[in-house]
C-alpha cells in the first residue's frame, strides 16, 4: 500500500478521535496562523499533530522553503523533500500540512521534468490535505491551483486560486498562481489585479519581479520586462531560482531578436543549474538562429532526453524540417503526439500544442476542431493565434483574421509583441489580398525577431518579396 492510499485506512480507524480533538486543533491553528510571518509574508506553518519534526536542515528543507514560498526549487532538493515527506507521512498520515507540501513538491517536480506521472500523485496528496488539514487550508488550495495551471486547465486553476485567496487574502503566492489562471483565460483585467496584489504584498521579492516581467511581456512592455527579470536574477537566492530567471531573461532576449544575448543567458542558466532544461532548449533555439545547427540539434536532443516537453519536440521537428530532414521531423512529430497522449492521460490539456502541430504538419481541419473547443473553454491569446492560423490553413481566412486580430491588437488584449503572431496575421491578410496590412505585419514580424522560426522566418521573407513595394500614387489629375 503506498503512502497516499494508506491514509484512507488510517482515517477510518481514527475518525472518532479526530472529531474529539478537532476543537483543540482549530485553536492551535488559529493561534499559529496569526503569528506566522516570514519576511512580511503570511505563511501556513506545517501542523504536526504527533509532534513530528519538519525536514532536517539540508536539501529537503531547502526545497520545502522553495515550494512553500513560490520560488523554483532544485530537482535534487525536490527529490529529497519528496522522499522525506513520504517517509514522514507513513507514520503521520493525518498531517494535513505535510500532505500539502508533498503535493506542491510533486507539482514542481512535474513542472520541471514534464513528467505527467506527477500530476495524479500531486492531486491525491493535495486532496488528502484538504481532508486531513485545517478547514481553512490555503496551501492545499493554492497547490491545486498550481497543479491546474501546470496541466493547462485554467478554469479549474481559477476556481482553486480564488478559493485560496478567500481563505488567506494576504498570502501573496495565492494571488501569484491566479496570474497564470487568468492569463490562460484571456482575463487581462484579472491578471492586472492579481499582479497588483502580489506587488503590494511582496514588492521586493525576486519571484514577484519575475511574475511582473511575464505580465509586462504579455502587455508588450519589453524594456520594462527585461529590467524586471534582470533585477530578479540579480537578487535571487538559490541557484535554481536564479537559473529560472536567467532562462526567462533569455526567452525575452530571443523574442526581440538578440540571438547572442539570449544564448549568453541560456548558457549562464545552465551553468547555474545543470537541470535547467528550458534553458537547454533555449540554447537550441538561439544556436539555430545563429546558424550553428549541429550544436542546436544536440541541445534540443539533450533537453528532450531529460524534459520530454511536446513544445520542444515541435521546435526540434521544425528545425529538422527547415534542414530538409523530413523523416527526422516526422519522428519528432510522432513523439510529440505520444508524449501529449501520456500527458493527457495524467489530466493535462495538450490541445493547444496538438492544434499547432495539426495546423502545420497534419490535418488543419482537425486543428480547427481542437482549437475551437479550446477557445470555448479557455480563450487566451495563445489559443486565439493558433485558432486563427488553423482557420487560415483550411481557407477560412475571413474568420481567421478575426482571431489573428485578437492575438495582435493591444486594444483587444493581444498586446504581446510576438513575431510569430504578426507573421500569422500578415499571411492571412495576404491571402485576403489586403496587401498593405500584410506588408506591415510581415515587416513587423521580421523587425521584432528576424529569426523567430527556422521555417516561418524564411517564409515571411519570401512573402514580402512576392508583395513587393507598395505602389506609388501619381499626382492628382
Amino acid at each position: 500500500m503506498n503512502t497516499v492510499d494508506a491514509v484512507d485506512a488510517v482515517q477510518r480507524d481514527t475518525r472518532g478521535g479526530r472529531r474529539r480533538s478537532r476543537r483543540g486543533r482549530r485553536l492551535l491553528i488559529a493561534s499559529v496562523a496569526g503569528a506566522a510571518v516570514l519576511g512580511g509574508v503570511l505563511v501556513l506553518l506545517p501542523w504536526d499533530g504527533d509532534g513530528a519534526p519538519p525536514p532536517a536542515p539540508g536539501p529537503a528543507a531547502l526545497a520545502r522553503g522553495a515550494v512553500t514560498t513560490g520560488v523554483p526549487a532544485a530537482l535534487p532538493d525536490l527529490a529529497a523533500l519528496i522522499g522525506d515527506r513520504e517517509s514522514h507521512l507513513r507514520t503521520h498520515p493525518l498531517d494535513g500540512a505535510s500532505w500539502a507540501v508533498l503535493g506542491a513538491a510533486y507539482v514542481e517536480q512535474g513542472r520541471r521534468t514534464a513528467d505527467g506521472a506527477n500530476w495524479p500523485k500531486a492531486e491525491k496528496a493535495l486532496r488528502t490535505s484538504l481532508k486531513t488539514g485545517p478547514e481553512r487550508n490555503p496551501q492545499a488550495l493554492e497547490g491545486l491551483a498550481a497543479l491546474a495551471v501546470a496541466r493547462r486547465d485554467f478554469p479549474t486553476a481559477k476556481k482553486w486560486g480564488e478559493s485560496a485567496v478567500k481563505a488567506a487574502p494576504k498570502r501573496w503566492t495565492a494571488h501569484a498562481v491566479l496570474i497564470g489562471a487568468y492569463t490562460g483565460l484571456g482575463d487581462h483585467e484579472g491578471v492586472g489585479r492579481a499582479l497588483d496584489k502580489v506587488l503590494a504584498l511582496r514588492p521586493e521579492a525576486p519571484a514577484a519581479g519575475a511574475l511582473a516581467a511575464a505580465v509586462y511581456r504579455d502587455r508588450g512592455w519589453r524594456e520594462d520586462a527585461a529590467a524586471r527579470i534582470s533585477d530578479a536574477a540579480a537578487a535571487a537566492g538559490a541557484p535554481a531560482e536564479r537559473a529560472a530567471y536567467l532562462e526567462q531573461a533569455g526567452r525575452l532576449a530571443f523574442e526581440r531578436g538578440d540571438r547572442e544575448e539570449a544564448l549568453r543567458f541560456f548558457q549562464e542558466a545552465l551553468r547555474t543549474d545543470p537541470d535547467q532544461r528550458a534553458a537547454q532548449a533555449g540554447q537550441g533555439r538561439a544556436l539555430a538562429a545563429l546558424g550553428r545547427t549541429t550544436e542546436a540539434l544536440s541541445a534540443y536532443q539533450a533537453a528532450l532526453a531529460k524534459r520530454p516537453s511536446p513544445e520542444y519536440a515541435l521546435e526540434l521537428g521544425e528545425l529538422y524540417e527547415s534542414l530538409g530532414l523530413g523523416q527526422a521531423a516526422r519522428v519528432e512529430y510522432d513523439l510529440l503526439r505520444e508524449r501529449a497522449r501520456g500527458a493527457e492521460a495524467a489530466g493535462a490539456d495538450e490541445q493547444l500544442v496538438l492544434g499547432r502541430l495539426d495546423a502545420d504538419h497534419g490535418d488543419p481541419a482537425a486543428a480547427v476542431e481542437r482549437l475551437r473547443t479550446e477557445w470555448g473553454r479557455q480563450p487566451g491569446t495563445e489559443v486565439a493565434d493558433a485558432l486563427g492560423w488553423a482557420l487560415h490553413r483550411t481557407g477560412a481566412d475571413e474568420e481567421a483574421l478575426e482571431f489573428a486580430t485578437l492575438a495582435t491588437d493591444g486594444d483587444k488584449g493581444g498586446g504581446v509583441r510576438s513575431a510569430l503572431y504578426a507573421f500569422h496575421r500578415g499571411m492571412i491578410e495576404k491571402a485576403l489580398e489586403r496587401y498593405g496590412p500584410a506588408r506591415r505585419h510581415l515587416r513587423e514580424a521580421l523587425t521584432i525577431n528576424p529569426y523567430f522560426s527556422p521555417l516561418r522566418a524564411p517564409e515571411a521573407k519570401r512573402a514580402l518579396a512576392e508583395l513587393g513595394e507598395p505602389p506609388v500614387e501619381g499626382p492628382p489629375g
Side-chain angles (χ1 to χ4, degrees):
M1 184 180 295
N2 63 40
T3 305
V4 178
D5 292 334
V7 74
D8 296 328
V10 177
Q11 283 177 309
R12 287 193 295 272
D13 292 340
T14 60
R15 193 168 286 123
R18 285 183 64 221
R19 281 196 295 267
R20 289 191 296 273
S21 64
R22 188 177 297 275
R23 180 175 298 174
R25 178 176 163 190
R26 285 177 182 166
L27 291 172
L28 172 63
I29 292 168
S31 64
V32 170
V37 178
L38 176 62
V41 182
L42 185 68
V43 296
L44 182 66
L45 293 183
W47 178 79
D48 291 306
D50 299 304
L62 288 173
R64 179 172 172 271
V67 300
T68 57
T69 55
V71 301
L75 280 177
D77 295 352
L78 279 171
L81 175 61
I82 288 170
D84 178 273
R85 291 297 88 182
E86 286 179 338
S87 176
H88 168 73
L89 285 163
R90 289 188 192 102
T91 54
H92 302 82
L94 300 181
D95 181 353
S98 282
W99 283 113
V101 171
L102 178 61
Y106 282 140
V107 172
E108 177 70 356
Q109 188 180 61
R111 188 187 67 80
R112 290 290 308 272
T113 62
D115 184 356
N118 286 273
W119 305 147
K121 292 189 291 185
E123 182 169 6
K124 200 162 189 180
L126 292 163
R127 289 186 180 276
T128 301
S129 178
L130 289 181
K131 292 178 184 176
T132 60
E135 286 187 5
R136 295 173 68 82
N137 191 344
Q139 190 169 344
L141 295 167
E142 182 185 308
L144 286 163
L147 172 62
V149 169
R151 284 170 153 171
R152 284 191 52 82
D153 181 359
F154 300 117
T156 299
K158 176 184 176 182
K159 180 189 77 171
W160 290 120
E162 289 180 346
S163 295
V165 166
K166 185 176 180 180
K170 300 298 184 183
R171 186 179 170 89
W172 77 273
T173 46
H175 296 283
V177 79
L178 275 174
I179 292 174
Y182 291 144
T183 297
L185 292 170
D187 182 356
H188 306 289
E189 291 183 2
V191 169
R193 290 193 302 271
L195 180 62
D196 288 346
K197 285 287 188 180
V198 167
L199 294 178
L201 292 167
R202 272 298 255 179
E204 303 302 324
L211 283 168
V215 173
Y216 294 166
R217 176 261 181 196
D218 289 347
R219 292 174 176 173
W221 304 351
R222 296 197 301 181
E223 293 78 10
D224 293 324
R228 274 288 194 172
I229 200 60
S230 177
D231 290 346
E241 181 184 9
R242 181 168 184 268
Y245 304 154
L246 288 167
E247 187 276 329
Q248 188 175 344
R251 276 185 284 128
L252 288 171
F254 185 79
E255 286 179 353
R256 63 177 181 265
D258 194 335
R259 301 167 294 175
E260 293 84 358
E261 184 175 2
L263 183 59
R264 285 195 294 272
F265 278 127
F266 292 137
Q267 289 173 332
E268 181 61 24
L270 273 170
R271 280 193 293 268
T272 305
D273 178 7
D275 291 317
Q276 178 48 255
R277 303 302 170 184
Q280 199 158 33
Q283 263 192 324
R285 207 173 300 130
L287 288 164
L290 288 163
R292 294 161 60 179
T293 52
T294 300
E295 295 170 82
L297 293 172
S298 295
Y300 271 121
Q301 289 159 355
L304 278 162
K306 296 292 186 180
R307 189 175 191 267
S309 163
E311 291 282 353
Y312 302 167
L314 181 57
E315 289 185 31
L316 177 55
E318 292 192 340
L319 178 55
Y320 278 131
E321 199 168 328
S322 74
L323 298 171
L325 301 172
Q327 181 58 39
R330 286 189 290 275
V331 169
E332 290 303 324
Y333 300 149
D334 288 344
L335 286 171
L336 185 162
R337 292 187 190 280
E338 181 182 335
R339 289 161 179 155
R341 281 194 296 270
E344 293 200 322
D349 180 345
E350 297 291 350
Q351 293 302 296
L352 177 58
V353 69
L354 288 169
R356 286 173 171 165
L357 175 66
D358 275 333
D360 279 325
H361 312 289
D363 182 351
V368 170
E369 185 177 350
R370 288 181 188 278
L371 294 166
R372 277 198 196 281
T373 302
E374 190 77 351
W375 176 257
R377 205 170 78 82
Q378 36 195 34
T381 302
E382 286 185 309
V383 181
D385 168 72
L387 177 54
W389 185 243
L391 286 162
H392 163 69
R393 298 284 288 176
T394 65
D397 290 308
E398 290 287 355
E399 188 181 6
L401 185 57
E402 295 176 16
F403 286 98
T405 301
L406 286 173
T408 53
D409 190 333
D411 292 335
K412 300 179 185 297
V416 60
R417 295 201 67 199
S418 165
L420 181 64
Y421 295 1
F423 163 75
H424 285 163
R425 181 170 177 177
M427 292 298 287
I428 294 166
E429 288 165 336
K430 180 174 180 288
L432 289 167
E433 299 183 359
R434 301 183 184 187
Y435 298 132
R439 285 188 193 92
R440 183 169 69 252
H441 288 113
L442 290 169
R443 283 199 185 107
E444 181 183 353
L446 294 169
T447 299
I448 292 170
N449 181 2
Y451 321 101
F452 67 92
S453 163
L455 275 181
R456 305 307 165 202
E459 188 177 346
K461 293 173 184 176
R462 289 193 298 270
L464 265 178
E466 290 171 8
L467 288 169
E469 292 298 321
V472 179
E473 294 185 5

